[in-house]
Each structure stands twice: as structure tokens, then as C-alpha cells.
Amino acid sequence: SSDIIYVKDRASRMIYCNPEALKLIGMSEKELYGKNDVKFLGAGNGGEEILITDDRIMSSGKGETAEEWVTWHDGSRRLYMSKKEPHFQNGNVIGLIGISR
């Protein structure tokens, strides 16, 4: 898929993403996994707002569709429509699953 597909743990650290996300981020799985959006995007590039949205979704246990601006390492700035859902295990939120386009 040309969409960005990802799974994050309860602390919003990346634990899975598809090849399209890896290509855009410019990191290997080993480099990316375990980092949150601020860590891999850099401060002030949209990661802070993404973490706020992620926390709200995981705290409420309710999915959302959100517009998210991201500035990539090459300086390009893009607006993404992201659909994010909490990821449950045994009735507890353990992270989130998202698709951004």
C-alpha cells in the first residue's frame, strides 16, 4: 500500500510499520522501532502534536480521524489524514494502530 501503516505501543513508540513508512522516514526497522514521532522526526516537525493525539486516543479508548502535519527530513511538509484506533488486549489499551494517507 502507498498508505503509511503503523502500530505503536502504549508509550507511542513505533513497534511496526510498512515499507512505505520506512521509506518516508528514511530509517530501517532496527533504527526506527522503539522511537516515538518526536525522536524520529525531530523536535518541531509535527511529532509533538501526533503524540498528543495518540495519547488522547489511547486514554479514551476511542478511535479518531485526525489531520496531521509532518515536516520530513528533506524539508518537505505534508498534511496527512490519519485514522487511528486503540489496540486492545484483554480489555486494556496496549497501543494503537493507524493508517495515514
Side-chain angles (χ1 to χ4, degrees):
S1 173
S2 62
D3 292 340
I4 301 168
I5 302 169
Y6 46 91
V7 179
K8 297 178 181 181
D9 67 13
R10 188 62 178 91
S12 290
R13 295 176 298 227
M14 197 71 72
I15 58 172
Y16 169 81
C17 64
N18 68 337
E20 184 66 21
L22 290 171
K23 185 171 89 175
L24 279 170
I25 294 166
M27 293 182 173
S28 68
E29 291 174 341
K30 186 176 180 178
E31 293 169 314
L32 177 62
Y33 291 178
K35 292 182 172 82
N36 68 32
D37 295 79
V38 173
K39 294 285 187 190
F40 66 78
L41 290 173
N45 291 322
E48 294 87 353
E49 292 83 5
I50 291 170
L51 293 180
I52 290 168
T53 301
D54 290 356
D55 184 60
R56 184 175 59 245
I57 290 166
M58 288 187 278
S59 294
S60 72
K62 296 180 181 176
E64 291 185 22
T65 300
E67 291 184 349
E68 298 176 316
W69 282 100
V70 172
T71 302
W72 294 106
H73 295 288
D74 65 1
S76 64
R77 188 165 189 249
R78 296 184 187 165
L79 176 63
Y80 290 90
M81 182 65 67
S82 299
K83 178 65 176 156
K84 299 180 179 184
E85 294 289 335
H87 182 201
F88 291 92
Q89 185 175 54
N90 298 324
N92 298 309
V93 176
I94 62 165
L96 66 78
I97 301 169
I99 300 174
S100 299
R101 99 172 353 165

